[in-house]
Amino acid sequence: MARAVPTNRRAVLLAIFIAFGGFLFGYDIGVISGCLIMPDFVARFGQIGPDGKPFLSSSRQSIITSLLSAGTFVGSLAQAFTSDRIGRRGSILAWSGIFTIGVAIQTATTYSIVQITIGRFIAGLGVGALSAIVPLYNGETAPKAIRGMMLVLYQLQIIMGIFLSYIIDLGTHSIPNSASWRIPVGLQMLWGLILLSGIFFLPESPRHLLGTGRSEDARRVIAELNSVPLDDALVYEQVEELDLAIKAENEGGKATWFECFSHRNALWKRTSNGMMLQFIQQLNGQNFYYYYGDTFFQSAGTELSPYVIQTILGAVSVAGTVPALYLIETWGRRRSLLTGAILEAICAIVAGLVGHFTLAPTGTPKDMLTPRNKSGGDTLIAFAVLHVFSFSMFWGPTPWVYLGESFPLRVRPKAIALGSATNWLWNFLLSFFAPRIAAKIGPLILLIFFGMLVFGFLYVYLAIPETKGLSLEEVDEMYSAGVKPWKSAKWRPSEKHYHDHDDAHEINDKNSSEA
């Protein structure tokens, strides 16, 4: 019997709506960089310099920026508990509420840097939790035919959130009062309320419903999201698959965090790989531009407004993510990561050296910049654009795709939580230390990212196998067989696996026909 194609408009809209969670935390990442150089923001939360003018020190920039990342780290781990206790739907609503409260605290701030940092930490709890729950929920509710597309769409929504934050910063930065930063920051309350509106139409994950004994509700959700009647064979098949997965998860008791690092099916290696890719992704260098690009490019002496440059970087990020939709399935995971590491490393070392040897010292008046200073600044910005474009095409989406397809169902929520938490931990460390390091060594900070990209290339080549086109069971078999990562692209599952897989399909087809 032919399988149903999910043409249900509600299923597609639901998946896109949930992917909006990516837009939410993409916007939150991008909006603060523009605020850091707005005159009213600096006057309220900065210090008075020797010349009597307000300025925002690198340490204060670090605190304001990094407290969000600290919250996201905690939230990404905490969601692993709430998503099982109150369900995926309940968790999305609860953490969206926490995020909205954090934004309200920030927007109500007058002159207290303590209040704005506390607000960013609370908002970060919601952002971090949603960064893990949203892909998990989409994977469990989106029909199979659009599940892969939704994962990449999630990354695209993150980039679009960053891009929109740059556009709004560009539009409000010249307002001569607190509206210059309150508008872009306060708009996040609208994004949070949009997600909260999901309480009226978000279904619970079928997997969670089955796990809590609500099988009829699960059947109803599966039928509705796949545009088929309740008695359709597709509904029986998916319920059976989920039942088997839940039973497998519950064998030997509830899965623990330590199990993610066990030797069974090389889980320790798979978890380590997922966490390492997130670690390397954060130290690619692109987040330095996202967080501190406005401040950094001011010293480049460019004629363009720093806000215009950030908007250009945001547009480049969106443009770079689009071809990733094609390359992730044609080039594969390894080739995408290896190519991205090479291209970004070239951009980082050129921008770092050119910036170090040609830029004028920070604070030099524009009318004193030499042609050499200006051409050096233009070169640095050009390679920054190429760096961000390469990241968006390769290292932006690929580690998340790899994280989502490398683990058996039993430990998948916890393994994804560990990978997400690793991402936010290093995001926090980068946002906290980068301005301090840049204040001391300037553009040479890009050489640190160059070194990490060289390490990333070697790590991927030696440790990351190709998982394109493999099922979870086939990934299990590949790791268990000890296949060398550099030979994994040519590896194929054993004949026994193929026969078992074919037999299973024949049985399922027969059962579907009988049904």
Side-chain angles (χ1 to χ4, degrees):
M1 179 178 175
R3 293 295 181 265
V5 177
T7 55
N8 188 330
R9 180 179 296 180
R10 181 169 184 249
V12 176
L13 292 177
L14 173 66
I16 293 173
F17 175 82
I18 292 302
F20 183 78
F23 174 90
L24 180 147
F25 79 82
Y27 182 96
D28 201 69
I29 287 173
V31 74
I32 194 62
S33 62
C35 294
L36 292 176
I37 58 172
M38 291 179 182
D40 186 85
F41 190 90
V42 173
R44 288 172 182 270
F45 307 112
Q47 301 160 286
I48 302 299
D51 58 357
K53 295 181 179 179
F55 76 102
L56 202 59
S57 66
S58 59
S59 61
R60 290 204 173 195
Q61 287 185 43
S62 297
I63 292 170
I64 292 171
T65 306
S66 62
L67 258 291
L68 176 104
S69 301
T72 55
F73 173 75
V74 176
S76 61
L77 290 175
Q79 64 76 32
F81 300 98
T82 62
S83 61
D84 283 334
R85 285 181 178 271
I86 62 175
R88 278 54 160 163
R89 173 180 179 269
S91 288
I92 290 172
L93 298 175
W95 291 107
S96 296
I98 290 172
F99 168 80
T100 306
I101 291 169
V103 173
I105 292 172
Q106 294 175 65
T107 309
T109 307
T110 51
Y111 293 96
S112 172
I113 190 172
V114 174
Q115 184 176 338
I116 201 167
T117 51
I118 290 175
R120 284 184 61 76
F121 178 82
I122 293 173
L125 292 173
V127 169
L130 289 169
S131 72
I133 297 173
V134 169
L136 184 63
Y137 180 88
N138 246 345
E140 293 180 352
T141 57
K144 290 182 178 180
I146 61 171
R147 193 170 293 162
M149 182 181 69
M150 285 302 105
L151 187 59
V152 182
L153 176 63
Y154 179 60
Q155 173 68 20
L156 185 60
Q157 290 262 36
I158 295 173
I159 300 301
M160 289 177 68
I162 294 173
F163 179 44
L164 181 62
S165 73
Y166 291 160
I167 292 177
I168 293 174
D169 279 348
L170 174 64
T172 66
H173 78 277
S174 58
I175 299 174
N177 53 51
S178 65
S180 59
W181 58 270
R182 286 190 200 275
I183 290 174
V185 171
L187 264 177
Q188 295 175 100
M189 283 190 284
L190 175 61
W191 313 148
L193 291 172
I194 289 174
L195 271 181
L196 279 170
S197 70
I199 193 171
F200 298 109
F201 62 90
L202 275 183
E204 182 51 84
S205 158
R207 192 172 186 282
H208 180 74
L209 291 172
L210 280 172
T212 53
R214 298 158 62 188
S215 58
E216 283 305 310
D217 290 336
R219 284 163 47 81
R220 193 174 300 110
V221 171
I222 291 171
E224 189 175 350
L225 294 180
N226 286 278
S227 303
V228 295
L230 272 172
D231 59 353
D232 190 90
L234 179 69
V235 177
Y236 286 102
E237 184 178 305
Q238 290 200 9
V239 167
E240 186 178 356
E241 286 179 3
L242 288 171
D243 268 333
L244 288 172
I246 291 168
K247 288 175 182 176
E249 281 192 30
N250 293 332
E251 284 180 3
K254 195 172 181 64
T256 65
W257 293 94
F258 290 110
E259 189 173 335
C260 295
F261 298 96
S262 69
H263 285 273
R264 183 172 61 84
N265 290 336
L267 279 177
W268 69 271
K269 187 182 295 184
R270 295 150 78 167
T271 302
S272 298
N273 282 347
M275 295 173 69
M276 280 298 294
L277 286 181
Q278 297 293 331
F279 158 62
I280 298 167
Q281 185 207 56
Q282 282 301 304
L283 292 182
N284 266 216
Q286 85 297 335
N287 271 353
F288 179 75
Y289 296 123
Y290 288 155
Y291 280 130
Y292 302 107
D294 293 341
T295 307
F296 192 59
F297 291 135
Q298 277 187 326
S299 65
T302 177
E303 294 299 319
L304 293 174
S305 158
Y307 293 98
V308 173
I309 294 171
Q310 284 288 72
T311 303
I312 292 172
L313 287 178
V316 166
S317 296
V318 173
T321 307
V322 173
L325 294 166
Y326 172 77
L327 293 174
I328 197 72
E329 293 300 342
T330 53
W331 282 22
R333 287 48 162 162
R334 273 177 61 84
R335 188 177 175 187
S336 292
L337 292 171
L338 293 171
T339 303
I342 293 172
L343 293 177
E344 289 180 62
I346 293 171
C347 293
I349 194 168
V350 171
L353 293 176
V354 168
H356 177 69
F357 288 110
T358 64
L359 292 187
T362 302
T364 302
K366 284 191 175 183
D367 57 0
M368 295 183 64
L369 296 176
T370 66
R372 173 185 172 87
N373 297 148
K374 293 180 180 179
S375 63
D378 291 340
T379 302
L380 185 150
I381 291 168
F383 276 93
V385 168
L386 290 173
H387 190 146
V388 169
F389 184 83
S390 299
F391 172 83
S392 300
M393 200 184 314
F394 300 116
W395 275 88
T398 307
W400 290 105
V401 172
Y402 187 86
L403 192 66
E405 64 188 10
S406 296
F407 306 102
L409 289 170
R410 177 173 167 80
V411 299
R412 192 166 179 259
K414 288 182 171 61
I416 290 176
L418 287 169
S420 181
T422 302
N423 182 289
W424 288 115
L425 171 63
W426 287 98
N427 186 293
F428 163 72
L429 293 173
L430 174 71
S431 60
F432 188 80
F433 289 109
R436 290 172 164 80
I437 297 171
K440 292 183 179 296
I441 65 176
L444 286 181
I445 190 174
L446 293 170
L447 298 190
I448 297 175
F449 303 132
F450 166 76
M452 179 52 61
L453 287 160
V454 172
F455 168 76
F457 179 91
L458 294 173
Y459 186 87
V460 170
Y461 184 81
L462 296 173
I464 302 298
E466 182 57 71
T467 55
K468 182 187 75 170
L470 300 179
S471 68
L472 291 178
E473 292 77 17
E474 290 165 349
V475 171
D476 279 341
E477 183 183 351
M478 179 175 63
Y479 270 102
S480 298
V483 178
K484 302 296 183 186
W486 53 92
K487 296 180 179 179
S488 60
K490 296 181 179 180
W491 178 83
R492 295 293 179 269
S494 65
E495 286 295 318
K496 180 180 183 301
H497 185 93
Y498 273 128
H499 290 317
D500 291 346
H501 197 64
D502 290 341
D503 290 345
H505 273 296
E506 287 177 11
I507 293 170
N508 285 337
D509 290 340
K510 183 178 178 182
N511 290 339
S512 299
S513 299
E514 291 174 353

